Amino acid sequence: MLGSVLLSWWGYKQNLFNLAMSSPEIASLSWGQMMVKGCSTTYKDCKVWPGGSRTWDWRETGTNHSPGVQPADLEEVVKKGVKTLVIGRGMSEALQVPASTVDYLKKNGIDVLVLQTEKAVKEYNALVAQGVKVGGVFHSTC
C-alpha cells in the first residue's frame, strides 16, 4: 500500500516537473508585442526556453540588425539544454543571422530554424505541441 502511494506521488511529482520544464507557448504576436503563455509580461523581443522566458535586450550583447544575432545572444537559451532553437528575424526579416551563429548552434548539437518571425512563432508553437525541448529568440518588429 505505502509503495503504491509513493509511486503515485512520485509520478505526480514527475508530471509537475515535466510540465514546468516544457517550453512555453507563444500566446500572441503583433508588431512590437509578444505574449508568452503563463507570463504577464508583454515583450518586444523575447527569449524562450523550457521552463521560462524573458526580454531579449539587444544592449546586453551589442546586437544590431547587422551583423545580427550573435552566439552570445543564444548562450542563455543553449544552456537550458534545448534540442532545437528557432530564430525569428523580424516581421520584414531585417535582423541578420550570420553563418557563424548557425555554425555555433550546430557545433552544440542543436537544430536551428531561421525564419520570418510570424512563421518562426508558428513553427516554435508546433514544436512545443510535439513536446520538443525547443527554445527561441524572436524579434517582433522590422
Side-chain angles (χ1 to χ4, degrees), residues 2-141:
L2 180 59
S4 63
V5 169
L6 287 174
L7 284 175
S8 294
W9 176 81
W10 179 252
Y12 175 75
K13 185 175 175 183
Q14 286 298 103
N15 284 339
L16 285 178
F17 176 77
N18 290 337
L19 182 62
M21 293 309 290
S22 62
S23 300
E25 178 185 335
I26 305 288
S28 67
L29 168 67
S30 60
W31 183 274
Q33 295 186 341
M34 297 183 72
M35 295 290 296
V36 174
K37 190 173 182 178
C39 180
S40 61
T41 303
T42 300
Y43 299 111
K44 177 180 169 254
D45 299 319
C46 75
K47 296 181 178 189
V48 290
W49 59 82
S53 65
R54 77 170 184 93
T55 294
W56 178 17
D57 184 349
W58 292 15
R59 294 171 295 186
E60 293 173 355
T61 57
T63 296
N64 289 299
H65 288 99
S66 181
V69 182
Q70 302 301 307
D73 293 307
L74 308 176
E75 259 179 31
E76 177 180 19
V77 178
V78 167
K79 287 180 181 177
K80 304 294 183 180
V82 299
K83 301 298 179 203
T84 303
L85 198 141
V86 180
I87 300 173
R89 294 188 49 211
M91 301 302 213
S92 304
E93 299 183 83
L95 179 61
Q96 301 301 303
V97 181
S100 58
T101 298
V102 173
D103 290 344
Y104 161 77
L105 292 168
K106 289 181 178 179
K107 285 178 185 172
N108 280 282
I110 298 169
D111 295 328
V112 59
L113 300 170
V114 178
L115 301 164
Q116 184 268 355
T117 296
E118 290 164 311
K119 292 176 183 174
V121 166
K122 285 179 186 171
E123 186 64 31
Y124 169 86
N125 280 342
L127 291 167
V128 169
Q130 294 169 28
V132 174
K133 199 169 185 183
V134 61
V137 295
F138 301 95
H139 178 47
S140 72
T141 59

